[in-house]
Amino acid sequence: MDLKHKKKRFTFQRAVGGNNHHCCVPLCTAGGRFNTTLSFHSFPKELNLRAQWLVKIRREGFTPTTNSRVCSRHFEKEEIVISSSGKRCLRPKAVPSLFGWNNYTKKPQRPGVWERRPRAIQALERAPEDDSTVDMVTEVDENTPVSGCAELATTPLMKDHDYTASSFIVVDRMKFENMSRQIEELTRQLESHHLERFGLQRFATSPDDFRYYTRFPSYEHFMAFWNLIQEATSRIVRVTSGQKNLSTSTSTESPMNRSTKLLPIDELFLFLNYLSTGCTQRELAHKFYIHRATVSRIVVTWSNFLYTLLGSLSIWMTSGSVRANCPTDFHGTYENTQVILDCTEMRCQTPTSLLLQSEVFSTYKSHCTFKALIGMSPHGALTFVSALFEGSISDKEIFRHSGITSLLTPDMEVMVDKGFLIDELVSGKVHRPAFMSKQDQMSEVDVLKTQAIARLRVHVERLIRRVKENKLFDTVIPLSICGNINQLFTVACLLTNYQSGPLVKKWMV
């Protein structure tokens, strides 16, 4: 057989002191069986450092074991030290960085912006002044837009100049000055054409938008209400985080009277917006450019303030005043009616406690609700509003605990719905639709009486609808505001006397 066609066989002699370790890095075939130059290092036990190793070696789905090794080819020389026993070890926090895909070289760290390019002022201080620099400054018009050094080089005025480093720095400085002037000009234009922020003035000329956000029919009506309460706002008690440190505060300014970023009239607009639209406090924070916690404190502050201020005014009318303003529709049988009563329910978030669920669950609404009693005079003014009760309470019990019984006298008549079995609780007459009882059908007198009462009692339903036009009470009320829901509901009810006109146009005086 020809020797040149004979297969060559190579044999490797096993190195003395070798081992059976192999490098687990992809594209690396290093092993310790025939090589004593390389050292093989196990994965660190520290989880963060081990995670860095796994990211660097780029081996997906790999879980290192106690036998997994990384050879010393993948570490820099400074990261490998020789111990006193002659064993090669890694320095603490050493991470492999040299691999086949980067040609076993480490990419140089990218310098920062100011390291790559010196500042113009510093370069000017270092660069000597020459004639070309002076000529360039005098020949370039400062109003001419400069797009780059190449454009300047093509101009006939500068083709004979020597372009030094200081010349280009001057050009860069001119570009910077031109851009600064443009920014100042745009800033002045923006201020002159400043868009109105979300607030009163933005919707003052749009009655429809103003009514949507405040429930007041117009900006003029709102300002009339503001003029009534403006003087009292100087004594408003604010709810702030500073109350917690009130006892240890040494400042002369009281945390209870500390003002916020918004003006008081803007805070009132925010509060009415919260009631009317029912939007979240986070949305209001974005609209008014304040923190959500600030919105929460404003809502609580103004609900307590208006609850105290408007609640201090007596809305209960005397029988003489009611008769003097009684519409002609009530003349005759119902002319002595003092108040028309009805209950309203508002859905609330279901509590996690089963006991609370049983208390606030309403079989009428098939939902957890809050329930309140509202009273209206015959001419449409709100004259009574109770506190909120749990939804499981009956109409009779809410009448008993609302406190209205102490206001009624024997000469005052009450008009209610069928569910109000309150004859023994009041001393005056009660107008209520008739029951069929055990009769097959109502008598003619009962039918006419029921129709007459229903025709007059429907106005209290319209008043309740005005209150629920505030979307906060027309949706599911979150439990997070339950600590303040009584004040919010009472204020919304009391504001209907200021926000809206008569329920019936012909009642307008």
Side-chain angles (χ1 to χ4, degrees), residues 142 145-146 172-187:
E142 62 178 4
V146 180
D172 290 339
R173 186 172 184 178
M174 293 172 59
K175 290 172 60 178
F176 175 76
E177 292 177 353
N178 286 335
M179 293 177 65
S180 300
R181 286 195 293 267
Q182 292 177 7
I183 292 174
E184 293 176 359
E185 180 64 24
L186 291 175
T187 304

Side-chain angles (χ1 to χ4, degrees), residues 84-97:
S84 57
S85 61
K87 186 177 179 179
R88 283 174 288 188
C89 303
L90 294 177
R91 292 185 182 274
K93 306 297 182 181
V95 178
S97 59

Side-chain angles (χ1 to χ4, degrees), residues 304-477:
N304 293 336
F305 171 69
L306 293 178
Y307 178 81
T308 305
L309 182 64
L310 301 181
S312 63
L313 304 176
S314 178
I315 59 175
W316 184 259
M317 301 177 65
T318 62
S319 57
S321 300
V322 172
R323 295 190 185 97
N325 296 279
C326 185
T328 56
D329 296 343
F330 286 83
H331 288 179
T333 308
Y334 309 107
E335 62 183 4
N336 292 327
T337 300
Q338 174 70 23
V339 64
I340 306 172
L341 297 173
D342 198 10
C343 286
T344 182
E345 296 186 57
M346 294 157 292
R347 293 179 299 167
C348 67
Q349 184 181 355
T350 303
T352 56
S353 171
L354 297 179
L355 178 60
L356 292 178
Q357 287 184 29
S358 63
E359 291 181 353
V360 298
F361 185 80
S362 170
T363 55
Y364 178 68
K365 294 288 186 179
S366 298
H367 200 279
C368 295
T369 62
F370 296 133
K371 194 171 185 179
L373 179 66
I374 290 181
M376 182 194 78
S377 65
H379 66 282
L382 179 82
T383 57
F384 182 81
V385 55
S386 72
L388 290 175
F389 293 85
E390 61 275 9
S392 60
I393 194 171
S394 64
D395 295 342
K396 181 178 180 179
E397 287 301 312
I398 198 172
F399 181 88
R400 186 197 305 273
H401 294 94
S402 64
I404 193 174
T405 54
S406 61
L407 302 175
L408 297 173
T409 57
D411 62 327
M412 296 180 180
E413 300 177 0
V414 180
M415 185 175 291
V416 292
D417 199 9
K418 285 185 178 181
F420 288 84
L421 305 177
I422 57 173
D423 298 81
E424 70 277 7
L425 299 179
V426 296
S427 55
K429 187 176 180 179
V430 178
H431 298 294
R432 182 178 55 245
F435 289 93
M436 288 186 60
S437 300
K438 297 181 180 180
Q439 304 175 7
D440 294 336
Q441 63 180 8
M442 288 186 182
S443 62
E444 182 181 358
V445 176
D446 290 341
V447 171
L448 295 176
K449 178 183 178 181
T450 301
Q451 291 177 351
I453 293 176
R455 186 174 64 253
L456 299 176
R457 202 191 62 82
V458 71
H459 297 302
V460 73
E461 300 285 352
R462 298 176 62 192
L463 179 63
I464 293 173
R465 180 187 173 187
R466 284 185 173 181
V467 176
K468 288 191 174 181
E469 283 180 349
N470 294 285
K471 298 299 188 296
L472 178 64
F473 309 109
D474 199 29
T475 57
V476 178
I477 299 173

Side-chain angles (χ1 to χ4, degrees), residues 192-290:
S192 61
H193 299 86
H194 179 65
L195 296 177
E196 296 183 10
R197 61 182 177 83
F198 188 88
L200 284 172
Q201 300 301 326
R202 182 173 178 179
F203 306 104
T205 57
S206 176
D208 292 338
D209 291 338
F210 203 86
R211 181 171 181 81
Y212 174 78
Y213 287 110
T214 65
R215 307 313 312 163
F216 280 92
S218 65
Y219 176 75
E220 290 73 17
H221 286 78
F222 173 82
M223 292 306 299
F225 175 76
W226 170 252
N227 293 331
L228 293 176
I229 67 171
Q230 183 178 8
E231 184 178 355
T233 56
S234 60
R235 300 185 299 273
I236 189 172
V237 178
R238 296 189 174 275
V239 177
T240 64
S241 57
Q243 288 180 339
K244 299 179 181 179
N245 303 324
L246 182 62
S247 59
T248 59
S249 177
T250 58
S251 176
T252 57
E253 180 186 11
S254 174
M256 303 292 288
N257 296 323
R258 186 179 300 147
S259 60
T260 61
K261 177 181 177 181
L262 300 178
L263 297 175
I265 191 171
D266 293 325
E267 292 182 358
L268 176 59
F269 178 71
L270 182 149
F271 174 75
L272 296 176
N273 195 344
Y274 178 71
L275 289 179
S276 180
T277 62
C279 60
T280 61
Q281 296 179 359
R282 186 181 299 275
E283 294 177 31
L284 290 175
H286 290 307
K287 289 180 179 179
F288 288 87
Y289 299 101
I290 56 179

Side-chain angles (χ1 to χ4, degrees), residues 57-204:
I57 68 175
R58 298 184 182 181
R59 186 168 178 179
E60 296 182 359
F62 174 68
T63 302
T65 64
T66 55
N67 297 323
S68 300
R69 296 291 189 274
V70 177
C71 68
S72 57
R73 295 176 63 190
H74 307 292
F75 296 91
E76 296 185 8
K77 294 181 180 180
E78 295 79 7
E79 296 177 333
I80 301 176
V81 295
I82 300 177
S83 63
S84 57
S85 61
K87 186 177 179 179
R88 283 174 288 188
C89 303
L90 294 177
R91 292 185 182 274
K93 306 297 182 181
V95 178
S97 59
L98 308 177
F99 303 97
W101 51 82
N102 60 11
N103 294 326
Y104 293 94
T105 57
K106 190 173 183 180
K107 187 177 180 181
Q109 187 177 1
R110 185 177 181 183
V113 176
W114 299 110
E115 295 177 2
R116 293 199 308 269
R117 185 173 183 177
R119 297 185 181 182
I121 298 177
Q122 296 176 353
L124 282 176
E125 292 176 353
R126 294 195 302 266
E129 294 185 359
D130 54 8
D131 297 337
S132 60
T133 304
V134 178
D135 294 342
M136 180 173 291
V137 174
T138 56
E139 292 174 357
V140 177
D141 185 8
E142 62 178 4
N143 296 323
T144 302
V146 180
S147 59
C149 297
E151 296 180 5
L152 288 175
T154 59
T155 58
L157 291 176
M158 300 178 60
K159 62 183 180 180
D160 296 332
H161 285 277
D162 180 20
Y163 303 111
T164 60
S166 59
S167 303
F168 291 108
I169 293 172
V170 171
V171 174
D172 290 339
R173 186 172 184 178
M174 293 172 59
K175 290 172 60 178
F176 175 76
E177 292 177 353
N178 286 335
M179 293 177 65
S180 300
R181 286 195 293 267
Q182 292 177 7
I183 292 174
E184 293 176 359
E185 180 64 24
L186 291 175
T187 304
R188 287 193 295 268
Q189 293 178 8
L190 182 61
E191 292 176 353
S192 61
H193 299 86
H194 179 65
L195 296 177
E196 296 183 10
R197 61 182 177 83
F198 188 88
L200 284 172
Q201 300 301 326
R202 182 173 178 179
F203 306 104

